[in-house]
Amino acid sequence: EGVEDSTVPSTDGSKKKHACSFFLTNFSSHGTMVNKKLLSRGGEQVPLYDGDSITLLKPSAAGPLLEFRFDLSGSVLEDLGNLPLSAPCHEMPPAALPTQTAVPISPVKSPDPEITLPTPREAMPLTLTSHQALPKSTPEEAPRAEPSALPGTRFLGAELTPAFYLEIGGDALRPDSKPEDLRIIHGPAVGSDAEVTVNGCMPLLLGRSQQRSFWQRLLCTDAFYALSRQHLQIEVGDEDRHVRNLSSSNPVRLCRTTQLAEFEATPPLSNGERRPLYDGDIIVLNPVQGFTLWLRFKSLELQASESNGAVS
């Protein structure tokens, strides 16, 4: 995936414009390796740089199936440099590769051919101007939550600055669910200097094929298979957040409480439809009694601004 038109600070303090930055997303149940770093979760992402090696694995971690090299030679992008999205990948020994059973994954076919998902550029404005840059924390300000200070699950394959999280709840959860699995944290990737490199973040795509092992250990069997392969997407802009329904068989609903009566009374979103998200909104993935599954949207940026207002 390519993200166009981004501006980042250079080493001499000036701003340098890059035409594109690239990401690789793993959608294979066998896993994918980038520079010997294993991406084992569906939907896990890492930034790509010129010269990176990409390895597709055989079933049951029997070794590499295909190997590629990401090469910008001869491209107009070659001389523009890379965005400092994350630290270099560390080599993982072959013995650490997990044993997995091959599971075929196929994309959901939309019944409406006119519905198209936004490209990364449409889903997230990436141009960073001086008035958009995040301010440095001072002793009088309440600092934003650091990645290590907020427990939860992250699906972005690079270090991120938390912008929001989704609390998972409902009757569909297994009784032995781990607390850290009940919170999905997402936000923009950060550079090696721990500063946000772009004012925006990759869309968060959730579904049975994107995070198969995660949902399988979290949900009862019936609820797991009621989850669509690509169920919903959270799209992040400069000042707004949206949820887009991607499921035609079990479309999402947007509520304000977790009451079953409200679930049943709220009409579902049509396939491809998106709605704005506000702090505390309930995204209902399954409204069926005994198998309810919902996500509570919580904005960390709103919490930070309220804390700053209280301090001032």
Side-chain angles (χ1 to χ4, degrees):
E1 299 175 53
V3 179
E4 300 181 4
D5 195 17
S6 53
T7 306
V8 296
S10 62
T11 53
D12 60 1
S14 63
K15 290 196 173 179
K16 192 174 183 180
K17 192 167 185 178
H18 295 273
C20 243
S21 59
F22 297 88
F23 291 85
L24 181 141
T25 305
N26 172 55
F27 291 107
S28 171
S29 59
H30 311 318
T32 306
M33 298 186 75
V34 177
N35 294 342
K36 306 301 182 183
K37 176 181 178 180
L38 176 65
L39 309 181
S40 58
R41 299 193 306 269
E44 187 174 0
Q45 295 173 328
V46 293
L48 274 183
Y49 303 111
D50 184 35
D52 282 354
S53 65
I54 304 168
T55 305
L56 307 184
L57 301 178
K58 294 180 180 178
S60 303
L65 176 65
L66 290 173
E67 294 186 359
F68 304 92
R69 180 174 178 269
F70 183 67
D71 190 359
L72 292 176
S73 299
S75 169
V76 295
L77 305 176
E78 182 180 13
D79 298 327
L80 295 179
N82 296 308
L83 291 175
L85 289 177
S86 67
C89 296
H90 299 290
E91 182 171 343
M92 175 178 288
L97 294 176
T99 299
Q100 297 181 337
T101 303
V103 179
I105 296 176
S106 59
V108 173
K109 295 182 179 179
S110 170
D112 188 348
E114 297 182 357
I115 294 174
T116 56
L117 295 182
T119 64
R121 183 174 184 178
E122 292 171 338
M124 55 171 188
L126 293 179
T127 303
L128 182 62
T129 60
S130 57
H131 73 277
Q132 292 172 328
L134 294 178
K136 300 284 186 180
S137 295
T138 64
E140 293 77 25
E141 293 179 334
R144 291 188 65 175
E146 294 297 328
S148 59
L150 188 63
T153 299
R154 296 160 172 81
F155 296 128
L156 189 66
E159 185 181 3
L160 59 83
T161 296
F164 68 87
Y165 63 86
L166 302 170
E167 293 178 350
I168 307 174
D171 302 328
L173 298 179
R174 294 182 182 272
D176 58 348
S177 299
K178 297 179 180 179
E180 60 268 24
D181 284 342
L182 301 181
R183 177 183 287 166
I184 299 173
I185 303 169
H186 196 63
V190 301
S192 57
D193 58 355
E195 290 187 357
V196 177
T197 58
V198 290
N199 189 27
C201 61
M202 296 293 292
L204 176 60
L205 179 60
L206 299 177
R208 197 171 76 238
S209 67
Q210 262 57 51
Q211 304 89 17
R212 185 179 184 87
S213 59
F214 172 79
W215 294 111
Q216 204 161 22
R217 71 171 179 265
L218 196 65
L219 306 177
C220 65
T221 302
D222 289 343
F224 171 73
Y225 285 105
L227 191 69
S228 295
R229 291 183 176 90
Q230 293 181 344
H231 206 110
L232 65 101
Q233 181 167 276
I234 307 295
E235 299 167 3
V236 182
D238 282 333
E239 299 179 355
D240 53 7
R241 311 289 181 262
H242 290 83
V243 58
R244 184 183 296 272
N245 172 57
L246 303 178
S247 175
S248 57
S249 59
N250 204 358
V252 303
R253 304 159 192 250
L254 202 56
C255 301
R256 288 300 298 176
T257 72
T258 58
Q259 298 298 316
L260 184 62
E262 184 179 355
F263 292 176
E264 295 173 345
T266 302
L269 277 67
S270 59
N271 194 22
E273 182 182 358
R274 76 171 194 163
R275 298 268 184 87
L277 276 176
Y278 302 100
D279 189 61
D281 276 353
I282 306 296
I283 306 169
V284 183
L285 284 70
N286 192 335
V288 178
Q289 186 173 6
F291 300 96
T292 56
L293 178 62
W294 49 263
L295 308 172
R296 189 193 308 273
F297 176 80
K298 298 296 292 183
S299 172
L300 292 170
E301 295 170 333
L302 179 61
Q303 295 177 14
S305 63
E306 289 176 347
S307 299
N308 291 339
V311 171
S312 60

